[in-house]
C-alpha cells in the first residue's frame, strides 16, 4: 500500500510540476491582476505536497507509523488548497471554452490542459486514500 501511494504521489507530482511550469511560463506570478491564483496559494500547495512526499519516502525507509500520519495530516491542507485552486480555475476554463479569444490579458491558468488538471486531481484523491489506508495499516 505504501509503495502504491508513493507511485500515485509521484505521478501527481509530475502533473503538478507541469501545471506549475505552465503557470509560471505564462506569467502567473507576473500577472497578479489577471490570475485568480495568488503565488502564496500555488507555492504553499507545492511546498506542503513536497514536504509530505519527502516524509512519505522517509516513512517507507524507516517504517515509522508516526511519519505516515504526519504525511497524511500534511495532505489535508494540500487537498484543501487544491480544491480552492480548482474552484478558482473552473470559471477561467469555462470562459476559455465559451470564447477562444487570444488576448494579452488572459490569466496564466487559462493555459492549463484540462486532461492534466483532471489527471492531477484524480491521482491526488487516490494518493490521499492510499496514504490513509497505509497509515491505518490496512
Amino acid at each position: 500500500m505504501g509503495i502504491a501511494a508513493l507511485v500515485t504521489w509521484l505521478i501527481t507530482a509530475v502533473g503538478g510540476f507541469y501545471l506549475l511550469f505552465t503557470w509560471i511560463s505564462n506569467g502567473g506570478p507576473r500577472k497578479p491582476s489577471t490570475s485568480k491564483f495568488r503565488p502564496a496559494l500555488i507555492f504553499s500547495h507545492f511546498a506542503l505536497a513536497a514536504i509530505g512526499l519527502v516524509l512519505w519516502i522517509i516513512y517507507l525507509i524507516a517504517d515509522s507509523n508516526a511519519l505516515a500520519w504526519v504525511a497524511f495530516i500534511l495532505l489535508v491542507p494540500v487537498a484543501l488548497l487544491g480544491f480552492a485552486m480548482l474552484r478558482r480555475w473552473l470559471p477561467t476554463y469555462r470562459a476559455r471554452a465559451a470564447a477562444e479569444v487570444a488576448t494579452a490579458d488572459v490569466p496564466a491558468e487559462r493555459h492549463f490542459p484540462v486532461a492534466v488538471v483532471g489527471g492531477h486531481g484524480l491521482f491526488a484523491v487516490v494518493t490521499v486514500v492510499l496514504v490513509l489506508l497505509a497509515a491505518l495499516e490496512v
Side-chain angles (χ1 to χ4, degrees), residues 36-131:
K36 294 192 185 297
F37 296 164
R38 298 293 169 249
L41 176 66
I42 297 283
F43 292 116
S44 60
H45 177 77
F46 167 75
L48 289 172
I51 292 167
L53 177 58
V54 169
L55 289 175
W56 190 255
I57 292 169
I58 295 170
Y59 154 73
L60 290 175
I61 295 168
D63 196 28
S64 168
N65 204 32
L67 284 175
W69 283 107
V70 171
F72 175 74
I73 289 167
L74 277 174
L75 281 178
V76 173
V78 170
L80 293 173
L81 291 169
F83 282 122
M85 288 187 285
L86 177 64
R87 202 181 89 221
R88 291 179 180 200
W89 176 76
L90 283 173
T92 303
Y93 167 70
R94 289 184 185 127
R96 177 180 75 180
E100 289 287 339
V101 179
T103 65
D105 275 349
V106 297
E109 57 271 15
R110 192 175 207 179
H111 300 281
F112 289 169
V114 176
V116 177
V117 172
H120 179 71
L122 177 66
F123 276 99
V125 169
V126 171
T127 299
V128 170
V129 170
L130 289 175
V131 167

Side-chain angles (χ1 to χ4, degrees), residues 6-61:
L6 176 64
V7 170
T8 59
W9 205 327
L10 290 171
I11 292 169
T12 305
V14 168
F17 278 126
Y18 180 78
L19 293 170
L20 179 64
F21 173 78
T22 302
W23 185 72
I24 290 171
S25 64
N26 286 290
R30 296 183 308 273
K31 294 181 179 179
S33 61
T34 60
S35 179
K36 294 192 185 297
F37 296 164
R38 298 293 169 249
L41 176 66
I42 297 283
F43 292 116
S44 60
H45 177 77
F46 167 75
L48 289 172
I51 292 167
L53 177 58
V54 169
L55 289 175
W56 190 255
I57 292 169
I58 295 170
Y59 154 73
L60 290 175
I61 295 168

